[in-house]
PDB file of all heavy atoms in Angstrom:
ATOM      1  N   ASN A 148      56.979 -11.837  51.273  1.00  0.00           N
ATOM      2  CA  ASN A 148      56.496 -11.939  52.642  1.00  0.00           C
ATOM      3  C   ASN A 148      57.649 -12.077  53.622  1.00  0.00           C
ATOM      4  O   ASN A 148      58.676 -12.651  53.298  1.00  0.00           O
ATOM      5  CB  ASN A 148      55.615 -13.190  52.825  1.00  0.00           C
ATOM      6  CG  ASN A 148      54.397 -13.180  51.941  1.00  0.00           C
ATOM      7  OD1 ASN A 148      53.914 -12.142  51.547  1.00  0.00           O
ATOM      8  ND2 ASN A 148      53.896 -14.356  51.634  1.00  0.00           N
ATOM      9  N   ILE A 149      57.402 -11.611  54.821  1.00  0.00           N
ATOM     10  CA  ILE A 149      58.277 -11.962  55.933  1.00  0.00           C
ATOM     11  C   ILE A 149      57.789 -13.289  56.500  1.00  0.00           C
ATOM     12  O   ILE A 149      58.553 -14.151  56.878  1.00  0.00           O
ATOM     13  CB  ILE A 149      58.285 -10.847  57.005  1.00  0.00           C
ATOM     14  CG1 ILE A 149      58.954  -9.599  56.423  1.00  0.00           C
ATOM     15  CG2 ILE A 149      58.998 -11.305  58.266  1.00  0.00           C
ATOM     16  CD1 ILE A 149      58.851  -8.379  57.287  1.00  0.00           C
ATOM     17  N   SER A 150      56.471 -13.440  56.520  1.00  0.00           N
ATOM     18  CA  SER A 150      55.871 -14.732  56.873  1.00  0.00           C
ATOM     19  C   SER A 150      54.733 -15.018  55.907  1.00  0.00           C
ATOM     20  O   SER A 150      54.018 -14.112  55.493  1.00  0.00           O
ATOM     21  CB  SER A 150      55.354 -14.733  58.313  1.00  0.00           C
ATOM     22  OG  SER A 150      54.169 -13.975  58.424  1.00  0.00           O
ATOM     23  N   ASN A 151      54.587 -16.248  55.505  1.00  0.00           N
ATOM     24  CA  ASN A 151      53.514 -16.642  54.605  1.00  0.00           C
ATOM     25  C   ASN A 151      52.160 -16.510  55.295  1.00  0.00           C
ATOM     26  O   ASN A 151      52.086 -16.286  56.496  1.00  0.00           O
ATOM     27  CB  ASN A 151      53.728 -18.084  54.143  1.00  0.00           C
ATOM     28  CG  ASN A 151      54.898 -18.212  53.198  1.00  0.00           C
ATOM     29  OD1 ASN A 151      55.331 -17.241  52.584  1.00  0.00           O
ATOM     30  ND2 ASN A 151      55.433 -19.411  53.091  1.00  0.00           N
ATOM     31  N   MET A 152      51.089 -16.654  54.505  1.00  0.00           N
ATOM     32  CA  MET A 152      49.735 -16.589  55.056  1.00  0.00           C
ATOM     33  C   MET A 152      49.486 -17.860  55.876  1.00  0.00           C
ATOM     34  O   MET A 152      49.512 -18.964  55.345  1.00  0.00           O
ATOM     35  CB  MET A 152      48.700 -16.478  53.924  1.00  0.00           C
ATOM     36  CG  MET A 152      47.326 -16.112  54.404  1.00  0.00           C
ATOM     37  SD  MET A 152      46.201 -15.751  53.034  1.00  0.00           S
ATOM     38  CE  MET A 152      45.426 -17.350  52.849  1.00  0.00           C
ATOM     39  N   ILE A 153      49.306 -17.665  57.184  1.00  0.00           N
ATOM     40  CA  ILE A 153      49.121 -18.808  58.079  1.00  0.00           C
ATOM     41  C   ILE A 153      47.814 -18.661  58.851  1.00  0.00           C
ATOM     42  O   ILE A 153      47.343 -17.549  59.092  1.00  0.00           O
ATOM     43  CB  ILE A 153      50.307 -18.941  59.067  1.00  0.00           C
ATOM     44  CG1 ILE A 153      50.481 -17.657  59.883  1.00  0.00           C
ATOM     45  CG2 ILE A 153      51.588 -19.312  58.350  1.00  0.00           C
ATOM     46  CD1 ILE A 153      51.450 -17.770  61.034  1.00  0.00           C
ATOM     47  N   LEU A 154      47.265 -19.796  59.221  1.00  0.00           N
ATOM     48  CA  LEU A 154      46.056 -19.804  60.039  1.00  0.00           C
ATOM     49  C   LEU A 154      46.379 -19.162  61.374  1.00  0.00           C
ATOM     50  O   LEU A 154      47.375 -19.486  62.015  1.00  0.00           O
ATOM     51  CB  LEU A 154      45.562 -21.243  60.237  1.00  0.00           C
ATOM     52  CG  LEU A 154      44.229 -21.424  60.956  1.00  0.00           C
ATOM     53  CD1 LEU A 154      43.092 -20.765  60.187  1.00  0.00           C
ATOM     54  CD2 LEU A 154      43.941 -22.913  61.143  1.00  0.00           C
ATOM     55  N   ALA A 155      45.537 -18.220  61.775  1.00  0.00           N
ATOM     56  CA  ALA A 155      45.740 -17.491  63.028  1.00  0.00           C
ATOM     57  C   ALA A 155      44.733 -17.971  64.064  1.00  0.00           C
ATOM     58  O   ALA A 155      43.998 -18.939  63.845  1.00  0.00           O
ATOM     59  CB  ALA A 155      45.606 -15.988  62.790  1.00  0.00           C
ATOM     60  N   TYR A 156      44.668 -17.265  65.162  1.00  0.00           N
ATOM     61  CA  TYR A 156      43.789 -17.622  66.264  1.00  0.00           C
ATOM     62  C   TYR A 156      42.313 -17.441  65.894  1.00  0.00           C
ATOM     63  O   TYR A 156      41.955 -16.626  65.062  1.00  0.00           O
ATOM     64  CB  TYR A 156      44.132 -16.784  67.500  1.00  0.00           C
ATOM     65  CG  TYR A 156      44.242 -15.307  67.201  1.00  0.00           C
ATOM     66  CD1 TYR A 156      43.118 -14.489  67.187  1.00  0.00           C
ATOM     67  CD2 TYR A 156      45.474 -14.742  66.905  1.00  0.00           C
ATOM     68  CE1 TYR A 156      43.223 -13.138  66.888  1.00  0.00           C
ATOM     69  CE2 TYR A 156      45.584 -13.393  66.611  1.00  0.00           C
ATOM     70  CZ  TYR A 156      44.450 -12.593  66.603  1.00  0.00           C
ATOM     71  OH  TYR A 156      44.551 -11.266  66.304  1.00  0.00           O
ATOM     72  N   SER A 157      41.495 -18.224  66.536  1.00  0.00           N
ATOM     73  CA  SER A 157      40.049 -18.143  66.363  1.00  0.00           C
ATOM     74  C   SER A 157      39.537 -16.865  67.032  1.00  0.00           C
ATOM     75  O   SER A 157      40.051 -16.442  68.064  1.00  0.00           O
ATOM     76  CB  SER A 157      39.394 -19.369  66.999  1.00  0.00           C
ATOM     77  OG  SER A 157      38.000 -19.251  66.985  1.00  0.00           O
ATOM     78  N   ILE A 158      38.539 -16.247  66.422  1.00  0.00           N
ATOM     79  CA  ILE A 158      37.940 -15.027  66.967  1.00  0.00           C
ATOM     80  C   ILE A 158      36.515 -15.365  67.390  1.00  0.00           C
ATOM     81  O   ILE A 158      35.624 -15.468  66.552  1.00  0.00           O
ATOM     82  CB  ILE A 158      37.943 -13.895  65.928  1.00  0.00           C
ATOM     83  CG1 ILE A 158      39.362 -13.615  65.437  1.00  0.00           C
ATOM     84  CG2 ILE A 158      37.294 -12.636  66.498  1.00  0.00           C
ATOM     85  CD1 ILE A 158      39.441 -12.722  64.228  1.00  0.00           C
ATOM     86  N   ASN A 159      36.319 -15.568  68.666  1.00  0.00           N
ATOM     87  CA  ASN A 159      34.993 -15.952  69.192  1.00  0.00           C
ATOM     88  C   ASN A 159      34.371 -17.098  68.403  1.00  0.00           C
ATOM     89  O   ASN A 159      33.216 -17.048  68.024  1.00  0.00           O
ATOM     90  CB  ASN A 159      34.041 -14.751  69.206  1.00  0.00           C
ATOM     91  CG  ASN A 159      34.413 -13.744  70.268  1.00  0.00           C
ATOM     92  OD1 ASN A 159      35.221 -14.018  71.154  1.00  0.00           O
ATOM     93  ND2 ASN A 159      33.825 -12.572  70.185  1.00  0.00           N
ATOM     94  N   GLY A 160      35.173 -18.104  68.104  1.00  0.00           N
ATOM     95  CA  GLY A 160      34.682 -19.276  67.386  1.00  0.00           C
ATOM     96  C   GLY A 160      34.802 -19.182  65.873  1.00  0.00           C
ATOM     97  O   GLY A 160      34.627 -20.177  65.175  1.00  0.00           O
ATOM     98  N   PHE A 161      35.101 -18.012  65.336  1.00  0.00           N
ATOM     99  CA  PHE A 161      35.286 -17.859  63.891  1.00  0.00           C
ATOM    100  C   PHE A 161      36.717 -18.272  63.557  1.00  0.00           C
ATOM    101  O   PHE A 161      37.678 -17.650  64.016  1.00  0.00           O
ATOM    102  CB  PHE A 161      35.029 -16.405  63.453  1.00  0.00           C
ATOM    103  CG  PHE A 161      35.198 -16.204  61.977  1.00  0.00           C
ATOM    104  CD1 PHE A 161      34.177 -16.550  61.108  1.00  0.00           C
ATOM    105  CD2 PHE A 161      36.380 -15.705  61.460  1.00  0.00           C
ATOM    106  CE1 PHE A 161      34.334 -16.387  59.735  1.00  0.00           C
ATOM    107  CE2 PHE A 161      36.548 -15.539  60.102  1.00  0.00           C
ATOM    108  CZ  PHE A 161      35.511 -15.878  59.233  1.00  0.00           C
ATOM    109  N   ASP A 162      36.855 -19.321  62.747  1.00  0.00           N
ATOM    110  CA  ASP A 162      38.185 -19.903  62.532  1.00  0.00           C
ATOM    111  C   ASP A 162      38.762 -19.675  61.138  1.00  0.00           C
ATOM    112  O   ASP A 162      39.766 -20.277  60.779  1.00  0.00           O
ATOM    113  CB  ASP A 162      38.164 -21.389  62.857  1.00  0.00           C
ATOM    114  CG  ASP A 162      37.239 -22.185  61.958  1.00  0.00           C
ATOM    115  OD1 ASP A 162      36.519 -21.584  61.135  1.00  0.00           O
ATOM    116  OD2 ASP A 162      37.236 -23.424  62.068  1.00  0.00           O
ATOM    117  N   LYS A 163      38.178 -18.801  60.351  1.00  0.00           N
ATOM    118  CA  LYS A 163      38.709 -18.501  59.008  1.00  0.00           C
ATOM    119  C   LYS A 163      39.514 -17.206  59.060  1.00  0.00           C
ATOM    120  O   LYS A 163      39.326 -16.279  58.281  1.00  0.00           O
ATOM    121  CB  LYS A 163      37.582 -18.396  57.975  1.00  0.00           C
ATOM    122  CG  LYS A 163      36.678 -19.612  57.876  1.00  0.00           C
ATOM    123  CD  LYS A 163      37.440 -20.875  57.543  1.00  0.00           C
ATOM    124  CE  LYS A 163      36.541 -22.069  57.368  1.00  0.00           C
ATOM    125  NZ  LYS A 163      36.184 -22.765  58.580  1.00  0.00           N
ATOM    126  N   HIS A 164      40.432 -17.142  60.021  1.00  0.00           N
ATOM    127  CA  HIS A 164      41.287 -15.983  60.253  1.00  0.00           C
ATOM    128  C   HIS A 164      42.731 -16.387  59.988  1.00  0.00           C
ATOM    129  O   HIS A 164      43.238 -17.324  60.596  1.00  0.00           O
ATOM    130  CB  HIS A 164      41.111 -15.497  61.697  1.00  0.00           C
ATOM    131  CG  HIS A 164      42.041 -14.403  62.093  1.00  0.00           C
ATOM    132  ND1 HIS A 164      42.534 -14.303  63.368  1.00  0.00           N
ATOM    133  CD2 HIS A 164      42.578 -13.374  61.409  1.00  0.00           C
ATOM    134  CE1 HIS A 164      43.335 -13.242  63.443  1.00  0.00           C
ATOM    135  NE2 HIS A 164      43.371 -12.671  62.263  1.00  0.00           N
ATOM    136  N   TYR A 165      43.374 -15.667  59.072  1.00  0.00           N
ATOM    137  CA  TYR A 165      44.759 -15.930  58.692  1.00  0.00           C
ATOM    138  C   TYR A 165      45.562 -14.638  58.841  1.00  0.00           C
ATOM    139  O   TYR A 165      44.988 -13.548  58.871  1.00  0.00           O
ATOM    140  CB  TYR A 165      44.846 -16.407  57.233  1.00  0.00           C
ATOM    141  CG  TYR A 165      44.256 -17.776  57.014  1.00  0.00           C
ATOM    142  CD1 TYR A 165      42.883 -17.978  57.018  1.00  0.00           C
ATOM    143  CD2 TYR A 165      45.071 -18.880  56.807  1.00  0.00           C
ATOM    144  CE1 TYR A 165      42.336 -19.233  56.822  1.00  0.00           C
ATOM    145  CE2 TYR A 165      44.537 -20.144  56.607  1.00  0.00           C
ATOM    146  CZ  TYR A 165      43.166 -20.313  56.612  1.00  0.00           C
ATOM    147  OH  TYR A 165      42.628 -21.561  56.423  1.00  0.00           O
ATOM    148  N   ASN A 166      46.873 -14.763  58.916  1.00  0.00           N
ATOM    149  CA  ASN A 166      47.776 -13.611  58.976  1.00  0.00           C
ATOM    150  C   ASN A 166      48.893 -13.789  57.974  1.00  0.00           C
ATOM    151  O   ASN A 166      49.316 -14.908  57.695  1.00  0.00           O
ATOM    152  CB  ASN A 166      48.418 -13.472  60.365  1.00  0.00           C
ATOM    153  CG  ASN A 166      47.481 -12.933  61.398  1.00  0.00           C
ATOM    154  OD1 ASN A 166      46.594 -12.151  61.099  1.00  0.00           O
ATOM    155  ND2 ASN A 166      47.663 -13.354  62.629  1.00  0.00           N
ATOM    156  N   SER A 167      49.382 -12.674  57.457  1.00  0.00           N
ATOM    157  CA  SER A 167      50.637 -12.653  56.704  1.00  0.00           C
ATOM    158  C   SER A 167      51.359 -11.367  57.091  1.00  0.00           C
ATOM    159  O   SER A 167      50.727 -10.371  57.427  1.00  0.00           O
ATOM    160  CB  SER A 167      50.389 -12.712  55.188  1.00  0.00           C
ATOM    161  OG  SER A 167      49.617 -11.616  54.743  1.00  0.00           O
ATOM    162  N   THR A 168      52.668 -11.404  57.063  1.00  0.00           N
ATOM    163  CA  THR A 168      53.473 -10.247  57.439  1.00  0.00           C
ATOM    164  C   THR A 168      54.374  -9.888  56.263  1.00  0.00           C
ATOM    165  O   THR A 168      54.966 -10.769  55.631  1.00  0.00           O
ATOM    166  CB  THR A 168      54.310 -10.554  58.694  1.00  0.00           C
ATOM    167  OG1 THR A 168      53.431 -10.998  59.736  1.00  0.00           O
ATOM    168  CG2 THR A 168      55.061  -9.324  59.174  1.00  0.00           C
ATOM    169  N   HIS A 169      54.480  -8.567  56.000  1.00  0.00           N
ATOM    170  CA  HIS A 169      55.170  -8.086  54.805  1.00  0.00           C
ATOM    171  C   HIS A 169      56.113  -6.937  55.139  1.00  0.00           C
ATOM    172  O   HIS A 169      55.829  -6.123  56.009  1.00  0.00           O
ATOM    173  CB  HIS A 169      54.144  -7.612  53.769  1.00  0.00           C
ATOM    174  CG  HIS A 169      53.105  -8.641  53.483  1.00  0.00           C
ATOM    175  ND1 HIS A 169      53.217  -9.540  52.457  1.00  0.00           N
ATOM    176  CD2 HIS A 169      51.944  -8.938  54.117  1.00  0.00           C
ATOM    177  CE1 HIS A 169      52.169 -10.345  52.463  1.00  0.00           C
ATOM    178  NE2 HIS A 169      51.380 -10.002  53.465  1.00  0.00           N
ATOM    179  N   LYS A 170      57.208  -6.872  54.405  1.00  0.00           N
ATOM    180  CA  LYS A 170      58.142  -5.755  54.516  1.00  0.00           C
ATOM    181  C   LYS A 170      57.623  -4.644  53.609  1.00  0.00           C
ATOM    182  O   LYS A 170      57.216  -4.895  52.483  1.00  0.00           O
ATOM    183  CB  LYS A 170      59.535  -6.186  54.068  1.00  0.00           C
ATOM    184  CG  LYS A 170      60.570  -5.082  54.181  1.00  0.00           C
ATOM    185  CD  LYS A 170      61.916  -5.566  53.691  1.00  0.00           C
ATOM    186  CE  LYS A 170      62.965  -4.481  53.798  1.00  0.00           C
ATOM    187  NZ  LYS A 170      62.645  -3.241  53.135  1.00  0.00           N
ATOM    188  N   ARG A 171      57.629  -3.407  54.126  1.00  0.00           N
ATOM    189  CA  ARG A 171      57.209  -2.263  53.324  1.00  0.00           C
ATOM    190  C   ARG A 171      58.359  -1.270  53.205  1.00  0.00           C
ATOM    191  O   ARG A 171      59.120  -1.089  54.155  1.00  0.00           O
ATOM    192  CB  ARG A 171      56.014  -1.537  53.959  1.00  0.00           C
ATOM    193  CG  ARG A 171      54.792  -2.394  54.083  1.00  0.00           C
ATOM    194  CD  ARG A 171      53.521  -1.601  54.221  1.00  0.00           C
ATOM    195  NE  ARG A 171      53.455  -0.742  55.390  1.00  0.00           N
ATOM    196  CZ  ARG A 171      52.367  -0.033  55.707  1.00  0.00           C
ATOM    197  NH1 ARG A 171      51.285  -0.091  54.964  1.00  0.00           N
ATOM    198  NH2 ARG A 171      52.363   0.726  56.772  1.00  0.00           N
ATOM    199  N   ASP A 172      58.454  -0.609  52.051  1.00  0.00           N
ATOM    200  CA  ASP A 172      59.434   0.454  51.858  1.00  0.00           C
ATOM    201  C   ASP A 172      58.879   1.795  52.312  1.00  0.00           C
ATOM    202  O   ASP A 172      59.619   2.695  52.671  1.00  0.00           O
ATOM    203  CB  ASP A 172      59.856   0.535  50.386  1.00  0.00           C
ATOM    204  CG  ASP A 172      60.643  -0.692  49.955  1.00  0.00           C
ATOM    205  OD1 ASP A 172      61.342  -1.284  50.805  1.00  0.00           O
ATOM    206  OD2 ASP A 172      60.544  -1.070  48.779  1.00  0.00           O
ATOM    207  N   VAL A 173      57.541   1.941  52.268  1.00  0.00           N
ATOM    208  CA  VAL A 173      56.858   3.168  52.694  1.00  0.00           C
ATOM    209  C   VAL A 173      55.909   2.800  53.828  1.00  0.00           C
ATOM    210  O   VAL A 173      55.171   1.833  53.728  1.00  0.00           O
ATOM    211  CB  VAL A 173      56.060   3.792  51.527  1.00  0.00           C
ATOM    212  CG1 VAL A 173      55.268   4.999  52.003  1.00  0.00           C
ATOM    213  CG2 VAL A 173      56.994   4.168  50.389  1.00  0.00           C
ATOM    214  N   GLY A 174      55.937   3.564  54.890  1.00  0.00           N
ATOM    215  CA  GLY A 174      55.055   3.294  56.022  1.00  0.00           C
ATOM    216  C   GLY A 174      55.723   2.391  57.041  1.00  0.00           C
ATOM    217  O   GLY A 174      56.877   1.983  56.894  1.00  0.00           O
ATOM    218  N   LEU A 175      54.968   2.104  58.087  1.00  0.00           N
ATOM    219  CA  LEU A 175      55.492   1.245  59.150  1.00  0.00           C
ATOM    220  C   LEU A 175      55.753  -0.157  58.618  1.00  0.00           C
ATOM    221  O   LEU A 175      54.954  -0.709  57.877  1.00  0.00           O
ATOM    222  CB  LEU A 175      54.506   1.193  60.316  1.00  0.00           C
ATOM    223  CG  LEU A 175      54.271   2.504  61.067  1.00  0.00           C
ATOM    224  CD1 LEU A 175      53.233   2.313  62.163  1.00  0.00           C
ATOM    225  CD2 LEU A 175      55.568   3.032  61.657  1.00  0.00           C
ATOM    226  N   SER A 176      56.878  -0.709  59.016  1.00  0.00           N
ATOM    227  CA  SER A 176      57.251  -2.046  58.573  1.00  0.00           C
ATOM    228  C   SER A 176      57.913  -2.760  59.745  1.00  0.00           C
ATOM    229  O   SER A 176      58.642  -2.122  60.517  1.00  0.00           O
ATOM    230  CB  SER A 176      58.226  -1.940  57.398  1.00  0.00           C
ATOM    231  OG  SER A 176      58.478  -3.196  56.835  1.00  0.00           O
ATOM    232  N   PRO A 177      57.660  -4.048  59.907  1.00  0.00           N
ATOM    233  CA  PRO A 177      56.833  -4.914  59.076  1.00  0.00           C
ATOM    234  C   PRO A 177      55.348  -4.585  59.219  1.00  0.00           C
ATOM    235  O   PRO A 177      54.919  -3.975  60.186  1.00  0.00           O
ATOM    236  CB  PRO A 177      57.137  -6.319  59.603  1.00  0.00           C
ATOM    237  CG  PRO A 177      57.562  -6.112  61.016  1.00  0.00           C
ATOM    238  CD  PRO A 177      58.227  -4.767  61.063  1.00  0.00           C
ATOM    239  N   PHE A 178      54.591  -5.021  58.212  1.00  0.00           N
ATOM    240  CA  PHE A 178      53.156  -4.766  58.169  1.00  0.00           C
ATOM    241  C   PHE A 178      52.413  -6.097  58.202  1.00  0.00           C
ATOM    242  O   PHE A 178      52.691  -6.981  57.404  1.00  0.00           O
ATOM    243  CB  PHE A 178      52.788  -3.999  56.895  1.00  0.00           C
ATOM    244  CG  PHE A 178      51.357  -3.548  56.854  1.00  0.00           C
ATOM    245  CD1 PHE A 178      50.982  -2.387  57.502  1.00  0.00           C
ATOM    246  CD2 PHE A 178      50.400  -4.287  56.188  1.00  0.00           C
ATOM    247  CE1 PHE A 178      49.663  -1.955  57.490  1.00  0.00           C
ATOM    248  CE2 PHE A 178      49.084  -3.867  56.158  1.00  0.00           C
ATOM    249  CZ  PHE A 178      48.709  -2.703  56.816  1.00  0.00           C
TER     250      PHE A 178
END
Side-chain angles (χ1 to χ4, degrees):
N148 300 334
I149 293 172
S150 74
N151 289 340
M152 192 171 95
I153 57 170
L154 186 62
Y156 49 85
S157 173
I158 303 168
N159 289 347
F161 180 81
D162 63 354
K163 304 302 183 275
H164 174 214
Y165 291 74
N166 285 329
S167 60
T168 305
H169 308 267
K170 181 181 180 305
R171 298 201 299 184
D172 293 330
V173 175
L175 295 178
S176 187
F178 187 82

